[in-house]
Amino acid sequence: MEKAFKFRIYPNKTQQVLFQKTFGCTRFVYNHFLAKRIEKYKEDKTNLTYNQCSKELTSLKKEYEWLKEPDKDALQKALKDLDIAYKNFFSRPEMGFPKFKSKKDRHKSYRSSCTNGNIKFLGNKVQLPKLGKIKVKDRCTAIEGRILNATVSQNPDGKYYVSICCTDIPEIVLPKTDKSIGIDLGLKEFAITSDGIKVENPKYLAKSLKRLKFLQKSLSRKTKGSANREKARIKVARLHSKIFNQRNDFLQKLSTQLIKKNDVICLEDLQVKNMVKNHKLAQAITDVSWSEFTRMLSYKAKWNSRRIVKLDKFYPSSQLCHCCGYKNTDTKDVSVREWTCLKCGTHHDRDVNAAINILNEGLRVGV
């Protein structure tokens, strides 16, 4: 099993300079060979292979001496990423044609493979190629298994992180609970379970929106290219980072709790891309992060031998009575929060009833 361990790192001034050079060099190599591939295709309708680009990179280093400063494997990984992007485009055109990387993009990263032990985790420090030892934020977590590669990244707020990918990690199988649960995801409450528990929607973006508007307005008034504008930009980026970290912490804890307590988890397969086309609800839907939550449940279920069952998006979970199966089309209106079944007389809470239907259908389909 493969797993990544992410840590915040604190490079010194010299290491920060080399990080920036590596970010720039990998971007240059990616853009240079993307342009070469486009030019080659226009000339004779053929494409440059990864091996051809790799050989040409060697001669490119003689022309541009500064390409020798960063880790050489990071440049090869940039070529590999370009090759993968090309293959994805021809096999899955909906992914789009590879795009040139912008210097103005504040999300920066590069990847380097572990060869001959050049990447090591030393508790309070991490060793990276060409950079030596870098201080790591104190953590109780220690990495496991054999190191494959490390990805160094810088967020828009200026903080540096390293993600160490490891393999041969022993699987930890959680004890079986013989419990199953259905979950109805919503906006008013983040999640409603089939046993009647309602998890409140924390609405981190909505709570910080007033402060965010103030900072963005302040940023827009600063002169472009000035030091004050950069300071204002960092303040906006830090607030966005705080909102992201709050949301991520909430989703991680909730998904872990559900995985530990249940063997089978049933969900609806929501089409979030279509739902955000409703401009009145787009911000709230984006803030709630249903897709990220289901992604977390999926990979944690694989780690711990749990099962995730996703129902068809057209399944009418809110319209059916879980007792007798009567279909009430009036509940298509989301303002109907409670209703009484005309067939059996059972009074339903809209969301709890939907969660129970999701559980019953999930167990039926998933068997």
Side-chain angles (χ1 to χ4, degrees):
M1 183 175 71
E2 291 185 7
K3 199 172 183 179
F5 301 87
K6 190 173 182 179
F7 304 94
R8 185 179 172 187
I9 53 178
Y10 297 86
N12 57 36
K13 292 288 178 66
T14 305
Q15 291 168 336
Q16 287 182 32
V17 170
L18 189 52
F19 274 145
Q20 295 304 321
K21 287 181 178 179
T22 308
F23 294 144
C25 289
T26 52
R27 182 181 65 249
F28 173 81
V29 168
Y30 186 96
N31 290 344
H32 177 83
F33 285 100
L34 176 56
K36 283 276 187 181
R37 285 190 174 216
I38 294 172
E39 185 182 348
K40 178 70 172 174
Y41 185 79
K42 286 180 179 178
E43 284 179 2
D44 52 14
K45 301 297 180 182
T46 60
N47 189 21
L48 289 172
T49 64
Y50 168 74
N51 290 332
Q52 288 174 322
C53 292
S54 183
K55 289 178 182 178
E56 194 172 331
L57 177 61
T58 305
S59 59
L60 195 66
K61 287 181 181 179
K62 296 177 182 177
E63 184 180 351
Y64 301 104
E65 289 291 327
W66 40 267
L67 283 176
K68 296 179 181 179
E69 291 185 58
D71 176 25
K72 62 180 180 180
D73 192 60
L75 304 182
Q76 291 292 337
K77 286 292 185 291
L79 290 181
K80 196 70 177 175
D81 290 341
L82 176 60
D83 191 56
I84 292 171
Y86 252 85
K87 289 177 180 177
N88 286 340
F89 170 69
F90 287 109
S91 61
R92 297 161 60 191
E94 67 274 8
M95 296 191 71
F97 189 77
K99 296 178 181 177
F100 289 97
K101 294 184 181 293
S102 173
K103 187 177 181 179
K104 296 179 181 179
D105 189 358
R106 299 290 178 177
H107 292 275
K108 303 173 184 177
S109 67
Y110 76 87
R111 191 171 76 259
S112 183
S113 296
C114 179
T115 52
N116 300 322
N118 60 348
I119 299 175
K120 295 179 182 177
F121 184 76
L122 307 170
N124 62 343
K125 290 183 180 180
V126 62
Q127 180 178 306
L128 296 174
K130 288 253 182 172
L131 288 150
K133 297 177 182 177
I134 307 173
K135 185 181 176 184
V136 176
K137 187 173 182 180
D138 293 334
R139 288 192 176 223
C140 300
T141 308
I143 66 170
E144 304 171 36
R146 177 172 56 86
I147 297 175
L148 291 176
N149 57 62
T151 302
V152 176
S153 59
Q154 185 186 22
N155 286 355
D157 58 1
K159 295 176 182 176
Y160 292 89
Y161 295 87
V162 62
S163 178
I164 302 176
C165 181
C166 301
T167 189
D168 300 334
I169 297 175
E171 293 188 21
I172 302 174
V173 181
L174 293 175
K176 287 193 174 184
T177 61
D178 296 324
K179 291 182 180 179
S180 303
I181 196 170
I183 302 174
D184 181 45
L185 299 173
L187 291 176
K188 187 178 180 182
E189 284 85 20
F190 175 79
I192 302 90
T193 63
S194 52
D195 49 9
I197 297 174
K198 295 185 178 182
V199 181
E200 184 184 356
N201 182 5
K203 298 181 181 178
Y204 293 117
L205 177 60
K207 290 176 182 177
S208 301
L209 207 53
K210 186 176 180 181
R211 175 67 177 167
L212 185 60
K213 286 180 179 178
F214 172 80
L215 292 176
Q216 287 176 330
K217 185 183 287 187
S218 176
L219 172 63
S220 67
R221 289 171 175 168
K222 299 292 186 292
T223 305
K224 288 187 177 180
S226 66
N228 284 336
R229 184 178 177 86
E230 180 62 15
K231 291 176 185 177
R233 185 199 66 78
I234 290 175
K235 286 182 180 179
V236 174
R238 283 177 179 171
L239 183 56
H240 275 298
S241 181
K242 180 182 177 181
I243 295 168
F244 170 80
N245 290 335
Q246 286 177 320
R247 186 189 297 124
N248 189 62
D249 181 66
F250 166 75
L251 296 176
Q252 291 283 7
K253 288 177 179 177
L254 179 60
S255 58
T256 300
Q257 182 182 358
L258 289 169
I259 289 293
K260 284 183 177 179
K261 291 184 178 180
N262 302 282
D263 291 340
V264 180
I265 298 174
C266 305
L267 299 159
E268 283 182 303
D269 189 13
L270 300 174
Q271 298 296 306
V272 178
K273 284 185 179 180
N274 295 334
M275 296 172 75
V276 295
K277 291 177 183 178
N278 182 344
H279 297 294
K280 293 182 179 178
L281 298 175
Q283 189 180 79
I285 292 171
T286 305
D287 185 24
V288 82
S289 294
W290 291 325
S291 297
E292 180 64 12
F293 178 64
T294 54
R295 188 188 72 86
M296 288 180 181
L297 284 176
S298 298
Y299 74 72
K300 289 179 183 181
K302 288 181 181 179
W303 288 352
N304 299 286
S305 301
R306 302 303 202 208
R307 192 151 55 95
I308 302 293
V309 180
K310 291 185 179 180
L311 303 186
D312 186 82
K313 60 183 176 181
F314 296 112
Y315 178 69
S317 58
S318 299
Q319 301 175 41
L320 300 175
C321 170
H322 72 267
C323 296
C324 64
Y326 172 76
K327 188 174 182 179
N328 182 8
T329 54
D330 293 340
T331 57
K332 286 183 179 180
D333 184 356
V334 293
S335 63
V336 179
R337 308 310 302 171
E338 295 183 7
W339 58 281
T340 302
C341 179
L342 298 177
K343 188 175 181 180
C344 65
T346 307
H347 187 71
H348 296 296
D349 178 291
R350 175 194 181 91
D351 297 325
V352 175
N353 175 65
I356 295 172
N357 282 329
I358 289 170
L359 172 62
N360 294 336
E361 182 68 9
L363 293 176
R364 186 187 70 81
V365 172
V367 172

